[in-house]
Amino acid sequence: MPDLLIELFSEEIPARMQARAADDLKSMMTDRMVEAGLTYAHAAAFATPRRLTLAVEGLTDHSPATREERKGPRVDAPEKALEGFLRSTGLSKDQLEARDDKKGQVWFATIEKPGRPAEEIVAEALTQVIEGFPWPKSMRWGEGSLRWVRPLHSILCILTDEEGHRVVPVEVAGYAAGDTTEGHRFLSPGRFRVSSFDDYAAKLKRAHVILDPEERRERIRHEAQNLAFAQGLEVIEDNGLLAEVAGLVEWPVPLMGEIGAEFMELPPEVLQTSMKEHQKFFSVRDRTGKIVRFLTVANIEAPDDGAAILAGNGRVLRARLSDAKFFWENDLAVAKDGMGAWTDKLANVTFHNKLGSQKDRIERIAALAREIAPMVGAGPDAAGRAALIAKADLSSEMVYEFPELQGLMGRYYAEAAGLPADVAAAAEEHYRPLGPSDDVPTAPVSVTVALADKLDTLTGFWAIDEKPTGSKDPFALRRAALGVIRLVTVNGLRLPLQSAVPGGGVSDDLLSFFHDRLKVHLRDRGIRHDVIDAVLAMPGSDDLALVTARAEALAGVLATDDGENLVQGFKRANNLLTQAEAQDGVAYEFGPDEKFAEAAEEKALFKALDEAEAKIGPAMEAEDFGTAMEAMAALRAPIDAFFEAVQINTDNQIVRRNRLNLLHRIRQICLAAADLTRIEG
């Protein structure tokens, strides 16, 4: 079985496209080869800035011959039906066979396809892949019609077995495949021949190209850490930047340089963002957390150990940081005079054409924050003040240059304006949580403004009928709803949505949207969907913390044998009672009388129900759902014993009616904590 090696060598492929392109090359080639009848043992794809590579091990050298029998139209069918059948089979009429069938004589076609050599299938598949490659952006160059992300220079395509290697005869847009490639553009110019994947990878490394992106990442990480450690410093980890930089170089050489003392007063986040966004530099900090160096990754081993590279990078960095320093100093001057001027400027920034300007929105958020502050434990004045300045930094020069710093710069500017610490913190924290793994604020003022921000977004877009549809959610409303859920549940807030939002609370439709998000959130925590449905059916379903506490308690009880069996006992009681009420046309909802109890198990159930009710009532009042449901689960044994010992539909109508009323009492008690009719099983 031969091994296949493909390399598509071009000008630089943008780093953000490399991983997807490697995956596409692998899936498109292997899918086409398998469809054509080839099998393989293993396939792996790689990418560097100048090449996409696919290595396939254990490829079959031929596709199998196939024989297919296909039934066609009746012999006396219209001519057009026969013509269509012949086109679909690729045969002529004299190659068909007429056979007897239930409906008379029918044409049958036998289609035989001989096996094809791997070279032929690979050549055909690779031509299709190159000509139809799904680059997000591509270009056409020269006189050919081929589109590629950057000009394609060569195609390497070989099959290797025990007898050696052979070039697969592929030619696409004037590019004929061969068995040669190039190494590093500067460190190893010129082409060289390869005979297998192992030979290819080894010769590339000698030619200063590390083929595997993961190996390049680990080399950057390791050498950067060593450079920093040697000076008692630490590289700030950034896996996204690491992956991007590994896609910019074929032979990574980390170098560490000076930032410049005049920029040390800039906030560390500004330094880090400016270096990352503009220069793709890593930040290096000292033991106090202060950023004191930058780390760049060159694509060449320089004879002067990178001194000239660092000098050039340093000049560019100083120019960038000079801009950042200018923005910072200008913004501080505005902030110290009060941040109201920035908020006023937001009157000219449209939030949504049906919801007004950003300033309009800020005023709504501030009003809502004052309303809900007491429910969160924050002072209304502090919450309102924090909401008014929380988005002011959107008008600042720094956030205009670096939008990802919004909120964080708001905290710096609020501190510079002399505002209280909790108000300044809210400017940064009110955007959180931004996703399911993001930290949730816990400071009352921050939580209040974060809730007001998200609730205003949701109620506003619901009011103008701009709701998520399918996979489309342009205003991130699902994220906002999940943010409200996490803020409420993590902080244990009692914040009924119907009373938290002035003017009628949230609509039924929006509440249903919250419930859908809550179901996803709780299922991710291992709580069954039927358990969630059982607690959502209870009163107070707009209180997300209450629903969560009930769901957790019910899930805990159902995880025990007593809890699971109690549900079966409840369902038996509920079914018998429902059938009797339908049959008799009456509701058995009067209190049963113990004096009509005959069996010892029946009397024991009366006692157990009294004891359970005495515990469940106060526990539910105190919202101690765990205790309430444990007391309910304790009914499992006496209910089971009751059903084993007595017949409900006895001939004695007084006893029958009393037992049906007893079933009603079981139903009432069991439904006090959750709607057990919704529990499956």
Side-chain angles (χ1 to χ4, degrees), residues 99-223:
R99 297 185 203 163
D100 289 334
D101 193 66
K102 296 176 184 178
K103 298 180 180 180
Q105 281 209 316
V106 173
W107 290 116
F108 280 84
T110 301
I111 305 169
E112 295 183 346
K113 292 183 179 179
R116 300 167 63 200
E119 287 95 331
E120 183 180 322
I121 294 172
V122 169
E124 181 181 278
L126 184 55
T127 300
Q128 293 171 356
V129 168
I130 293 174
E131 291 179 342
F133 204 80
W135 292 108
K137 291 184 178 180
S138 59
M139 61 186 294
R140 183 183 290 114
W141 68 97
E143 297 179 1
S145 60
L146 178 66
R147 298 191 69 91
W148 204 248
V149 63
R150 296 288 187 273
L152 187 67
H153 287 320
S154 67
I155 301 170
L156 183 152
C157 187
I158 60 173
L159 286 166
T160 305
D161 54 23
E162 298 83 0
E163 297 178 0
H165 78 278
R166 57 193 183 275
V167 174
V168 176
V170 182
E171 184 169 340
V172 184
Y175 295 94
D179 59 358
T180 65
T181 186
E182 294 184 26
H184 193 281
R185 185 189 294 272
F186 304 113
L187 298 176
S188 185
R191 300 190 71 81
F192 52 86
R193 181 167 281 103
V194 299
S195 59
S196 67
F197 175 72
D198 289 341
D199 182 48
Y200 169 77
K203 286 180 176 175
L204 278 181
K205 189 163 285 189
R206 288 199 294 272
H208 294 88
V209 174
I210 298 175
L211 179 64
D212 188 348
E214 181 58 32
E215 185 180 347
R216 295 199 300 275
R217 285 195 290 271
E218 285 308 306
R219 176 168 174 160
I220 294 169
R221 190 196 310 273
H222 179 71
E223 294 190 8

Side-chain angles (χ1 to χ4, degrees), residues 473-632:
D473 186 11
F475 304 110
L477 301 183
R478 292 187 180 96
R479 186 175 72 186
L482 180 59
V484 171
I485 290 166
R486 292 191 64 211
L487 284 162
V488 167
T489 55
V490 169
N491 289 289
L493 300 178
R494 302 306 306 277
L495 191 78
L497 296 175
Q498 298 292 21
S499 56
V501 180
V506 300
S507 66
D508 291 343
D509 186 37
L510 179 51
L511 182 58
S512 176
F513 181 73
F514 271 111
H515 287 169
D516 288 343
R517 295 297 95 203
L518 182 60
K519 288 178 183 179
V520 173
H521 175 66
L522 293 178
R523 281 201 298 268
D524 288 344
R525 292 168 57 178
I527 298 179
R528 291 167 16 194
H529 70 91
D530 57 335
V531 171
I532 304 168
D533 288 339
V535 298
L536 284 174
M538 303 299 291
S541 67
D542 68 327
D543 189 331
L544 304 179
L546 181 72
V547 171
T548 300
R550 277 180 167 162
E552 289 172 342
L554 180 56
V557 167
L558 292 181
T560 67
D561 289 341
D562 280 351
E564 197 62 49
N565 291 331
L566 171 68
V567 172
Q568 302 310 315
F570 160 78
K571 288 189 174 182
R572 185 176 179 185
N574 187 53
N575 289 340
L576 284 168
L577 182 58
T578 302
Q579 290 168 9
E581 288 178 334
Q583 176 185 316
D584 301 344
V586 297
Y588 291 99
E589 54 189 15
F590 298 101
D593 194 330
E594 190 174 354
K595 72 182 179 183
F596 296 116
E598 296 180 344
E601 291 83 357
E602 194 171 2
K603 294 174 182 177
L605 180 57
F606 270 97
K607 182 181 178 184
L609 290 171
D610 288 341
E611 291 174 352
E613 216 162 31
K615 293 178 181 177
I616 292 171
M620 290 296 293
E621 193 71 29
E623 296 180 354
D624 182 359
F625 302 115
T627 297
M629 291 183 188
E630 285 173 10
M632 191 172 68

Side-chain angles (χ1 to χ4, degrees), residues 424-443:
E428 178 181 6
E429 296 180 343
H430 81 282
Y431 289 104
R432 298 176 185 165
L434 292 172
S437 59
D438 193 25
D439 290 340
V440 175
T442 56

